[in-house]
Amino acid sequence: METTPDVCVVGLGYIGLPTAAILAANGSNVIGVDVNPHHVAEINAGRVPFVEPDLESVVAGVVAQGRLAAQSSVPHADAYIVAVPTPFTETYEVDDAYVRAAADAIAPMLKGGELIILESTSPPGLTEQMGEFILDARPDLTAAPGRANSVHFAHCPERVLPGRIMVEIVQNDRIIGGVTPEAAERARALYATFCRGELLITDARTSEMAKLAENSYRDVNIAFANELSMICDRIDIDVWELIRLANHHPRVNILQPGPGVGGHCIAVDPWFIVAAAPDRAKLIRLAREVNDSKPDFVLEKIMARAAKFRDPVIAALGIAFKADIDDLRESPSKTIVERLASELPHASILVVEPNIDALPSDLAGRANVTLRETADAVEEADVVVVLVDHQQFKAMDPRALQEKVLVDTKGIFL
Ligand code: SAJ
């Protein structure tokens, strides 16, 4: 007889797979669903198709025990967790196509009484809309609390930091936003199986907005640091020393400037707040603009420094979106290298990225860009550009840079 899984996780990416694995490790029977057949095959072989410390051992264990299996179609389950991408459109509004596709796939499987949780970052109201898509497809079911066939909807945003997901997924406090109090209570019980942090109950719209506010808070604070770095450059003050000194104040904690803000969260989520109240979201929009302008500033700086060489050799240290990960998505450092390669066709650009084995396709095709080891690249270069503060770069002997023209966006050698 076919058994019903306790939980079905739709979307086995950076969030869905750790969630599926940790649920399974804490006693749930989990089916994970993904549209990518390669991911499905890898997971069923106990492997993880991306880099995340400590995830593979958990996945391998729960797959071997038969508690987690991946497949490409959505089965019936008592609870669903939807962890699909919610990118933005050209007009900075949410592209809800993946959420709709998940809802379309779940709706026909429902029998009534299930819990459906959206973990994806969402503009306020998307969880309720997801509920409407599903109930429109299944008018025989209801969202009315207390009814035997009512389906329960909740928003429970993830908060884990890539690189620390397996620690933070257990330890962080979590917001549980129910479309109804009953949905929140059911969702709380599910997360309580593995989450040791506080489970904070609210409604779905507040939960959606809280997630956006958290990432916007960070974006605004990084924008402050980036703006300071551009001001200090103009008036010839060392911004790193300035921040170090200012942070001795007991109530000041300025973040670190850099080449811009990357990743698929902090550079995206604030736009959903802007879209929700465009005329009121002034600071949040401006912070996005400041952070988005930082790669241009860095590019100009590099071009000005490289101008004294006829055919400059430029070592670009780092193209990941932040330190000590292999994730190149929305990476400002990678954008800077791409633009540099186009603007300076006669330059030779030596990319150093210790966390990858081959250049991504959009850089690999360029004649003037090659992937190199740190020491070789630095030795050959006229100009050394630090774009990411990877541990391998921080460990470098600064004497190697003595004769070089240096542009250090992370301040590790300044
Ligand atoms: N950055 C700076 N200066 C800093 C800190 C970060 O320039 O002082 C840059 C990084 O280099 C990177 C970008 O900001 O390009 C974002 O990095 P991050 O480490 O701040 O955040 P993410 O994108 O890896 O993860 C964030 C986290 N959110 C918050 O800290 C509020 C994480 O907890 C969320 O789960 C994640 O977004 C998400 O998925 O939303």
Side-chain angles (χ1 to χ4, degrees):
M1 201 184 77
E2 202 179 313
T3 55
T4 301
D6 297 328
V7 188
C8 169
V9 178
V10 181
L12 295 175
Y14 286 82
I15 301 305
L17 182 55
T19 305
I22 204 84
L23 276 162
N26 286 278
S28 293
N29 291 313
V30 184
I31 295 287
V33 174
D34 203 278
V35 289
N36 182 334
H38 171 69
H39 278 209
V40 169
E42 284 291 283
I43 293 160
N44 284 333
R47 290 191 293 267
V48 173
F50 50 87
V51 174
E52 181 58 43
D54 304 328
L55 176 57
E56 192 155 274
S57 58
V58 181
V59 169
V62 290
V63 168
Q65 286 164 15
R67 288 209 170 275
L68 171 66
Q71 60 188 52
S72 54
S73 62
V74 171
H76 177 262
D78 303 331
Y80 293 86
I81 294 181
V82 176
V84 295
T86 42
F88 57 69
T89 63
E90 273 174 19
T91 53
Y92 293 124
E93 275 151 329
V94 69
D95 173 358
D96 63 7
Y98 298 103
V99 175
R100 280 179 180 265
D104 283 346
I106 292 170
M109 306 315 298
L110 299 175
K111 297 176 180 166
E114 294 87 354
L115 169 67
I116 304 178
I117 296 170
L118 183 60
E119 276 211 16
S120 311
T121 302
S122 308
L126 186 60
T127 306
E128 287 170 7
Q129 274 173 27
M130 180 187 74
E132 284 163 21
F133 307 146
I134 290 176
L135 295 177
D136 283 351
R138 291 295 304 273
D140 54 317
L141 304 175
T142 165
R147 299 268 292 273
N149 64 346
S150 66
V151 181
H152 307 278
F153 299 99
H155 183 254
C156 304
E158 58 81 15
R159 284 176 153 169
V160 288
L161 196 71
R164 280 179 50 81
I165 291 180
M166 295 315 281
V167 176
E168 293 203 359
I169 203 165
V170 173
Q171 287 180 356
N172 289 2
D173 297 344
R174 257 194 116 111
I175 299 176
I176 312 280
V179 169
T180 59
E182 196 179 342
E185 186 43 46
R186 297 256 313 247
R188 195 201 56 73
L190 182 61
Y191 286 100
T193 63
F194 68 86
C195 180
R196 308 279 164 262
E198 244 185 282
L199 298 169
L200 307 155
I201 303 283
T202 184
D203 59 79
R205 285 169 60 84
T206 307
S207 157
E208 291 166 332
M209 187 63 181
K211 167 72 193 186
L212 301 178
E214 289 164 16
N215 279 353
S216 298
Y217 171 86
R218 194 146 171 91
D219 198 41
V220 168
N221 281 282
I222 299 169
F224 183 78
N226 276 332
E227 184 165 293
L228 271 183
S229 77
M230 294 187 276
I231 294 169
C232 285
D233 178 76
R234 168 75 55 81
I235 61 178
D236 205 16
I237 285 174
D238 176 350
V239 71
W240 309 99
E241 185 190 1
L242 174 89
I243 292 175
R244 211 166 34 244
L245 294 172
N247 283 350
H248 276 270
H249 185 291
R251 283 173 298 283
V252 173
N253 183 17
I254 303 173
L255 295 182
Q256 301 299 300
V261 167
H264 29 281
C265 306
I266 295 190
V268 175
D269 300 0
W271 289 118
F272 296 155
I273 299 187
V274 175
D279 54 329
R280 300 214 161 157
K282 298 191 181 81
L283 179 63
I284 291 171
R285 178 201 298 270
L286 198 57
R288 270 293 60 247
E289 288 168 358
V290 168
N291 285 332
D292 274 352
S293 75
K294 193 69 195 289
D296 291 335
F297 172 87
V298 173
L299 188 70
E300 271 174 37
K301 204 86 282 154
I302 303 169
M303 306 261 288
R305 298 275 167 89
K308 69 175 189 178
F309 302 97
R310 207 173 57 146
D311 296 318
V313 178
I314 304 175
L317 304 192
I319 53 167
F321 92 78
K322 66 175 190 177
D324 305 325
I325 58 168
D326 67 342
D327 193 341
L328 309 182
R329 289 178 297 172
E330 324 295 334
S331 168
S333 314
K334 181 165 154 272
T335 305
I336 290 167
V337 170
E338 281 164 10
R339 299 220 1 233
L340 206 53
S342 305
E343 303 271 346
L344 300 177
H346 299 298
S348 173
I349 300 168
L350 314 178
V351 171
V352 183
E353 180 43 77
N355 300 302
I356 60 172
D357 301 326
L359 283 174
S361 55
D362 33 7
L363 282 175
R366 296 174 187 251
N368 57 346
V369 181
T370 48
L371 185 65
R372 302 291 287 273
E373 295 293 324
T374 316
D376 294 352
V378 169
E379 195 187 328
E380 241 180 83
D382 304 308
V383 182
V384 175
V385 184
V386 180
L387 294 168
V388 186
D389 47 341
H390 286 316
Q391 52 176 341
Q392 292 88 341
F393 305 151
K394 290 199 268 192
M396 248 170 70
D397 184 348
R399 282 174 301 186
L401 299 166
Q402 260 163 10
E403 307 294 310
K404 310 292 173 183
V405 172
L406 180 66
V407 178
D408 185 351
T409 71
K410 293 306 296 181
I412 62 182
F413 296 113
L414 299 173

